[in-house]
Amino acid sequence: MAKKPKKKTAVNMSGKRKTAIARATVRKGKGRVRINSKPIYIMEPELARRKALEPVQIAEAMNRLTDVDVAVNVEGGGQMGQVDAIRTAIARGLVKWNGGAEGDDEELRDEYLRFDRSLLVNDPRRKEPKHPMGRGARKKWQKSYR
């Protein structure tokens, strides 16, 4: 007896940037995208909203968002770090969802990579710690011999 391919009920994915962590849940729905249970379309400031909407707009253009709901919880970091984490989590979730089928959505994945690699790959850069003998990571107190 052939095994029927299992339909996914939900996909959980995460995105990180600096100390911000976003967890996205993609499930069957009506095309709603929510950040911390608020619609993504009322996110402020506008620059942050536009950046967070990039993966959503690409998915909409490819007709991948009509029957899914995306819920994102984000914590830690600053505003733009959170936005980068959100967009990574959303993009990864939609690629993994693949219309509820097994495997990744290769077409959507390729489109995201063509647009911006950081949509699918976390940014490993971190703040360099302050060192002794200086005010910051690189600046040092001036040395005088006379």
Side-chain angles (χ1 to χ4, degrees):
M1 192 164 124
K3 204 169 155 186
K4 204 164 93 175
K6 202 170 98 179
K7 278 268 196 182
K8 294 179 201 160
T9 54
V11 170
N12 293 311
M13 274 291 149
S14 70
K16 291 180 182 176
R17 174 71 170 103
K18 292 186 179 177
T19 55
I21 299 171
R23 294 176 189 86
T25 305
V26 181
R27 55 171 57 102
K28 203 161 180 58
K30 298 175 183 162
R32 288 182 292 234
V33 181
R34 294 179 160 268
I35 312 290
N36 290 342
S37 50
K38 291 190 183 102
I40 194 170
Y41 298 102
I42 64 167
M43 192 176 181
E44 285 296 323
E46 190 199 349
L47 185 75
R49 181 188 332 133
R50 274 203 244 147
K51 196 166 184 183
L53 278 170
E54 286 171 358
V56 174
Q57 288 168 336
I58 293 171
E60 270 177 349
M62 296 178 74
N63 213 14
R64 299 288 205 282
L65 209 67
T66 50
D67 59 343
V68 293
D69 280 353
V70 182
V72 183
N73 286 323
V74 64
E75 57 190 36
Q79 196 159 40
M80 291 316 278
Q82 284 190 351
V83 168
D84 280 340
I86 287 167
R87 65 203 289 264
T88 299
I90 291 173
R92 282 178 161 186
L94 289 172
V95 167
K96 271 282 184 239
W97 175 255
N98 194 13
E102 288 290 319
D104 291 358
D105 188 339
E106 293 293 328
E107 197 180 324
L108 185 62
R109 185 176 161 274
D110 293 342
E111 192 58 37
Y112 280 152
L113 287 174
R114 200 174 64 77
F115 178 73
D116 183 5
R117 184 173 179 266
S118 70
L119 278 173
L120 296 175
V121 181
N122 288 327
D123 194 337
R125 293 177 296 176
R126 296 290 178 270
K127 182 178 176 291
E128 188 177 340
K130 178 197 174 298
H131 301 299
M133 294 299 297
R135 292 169 132 198
R138 298 295 170 106
K139 193 172 182 182
K140 298 284 174 264
W141 302 120
Q142 191 165 322
K143 190 173 174 184
S144 168
Y145 290 102
R146 284 186 196 96

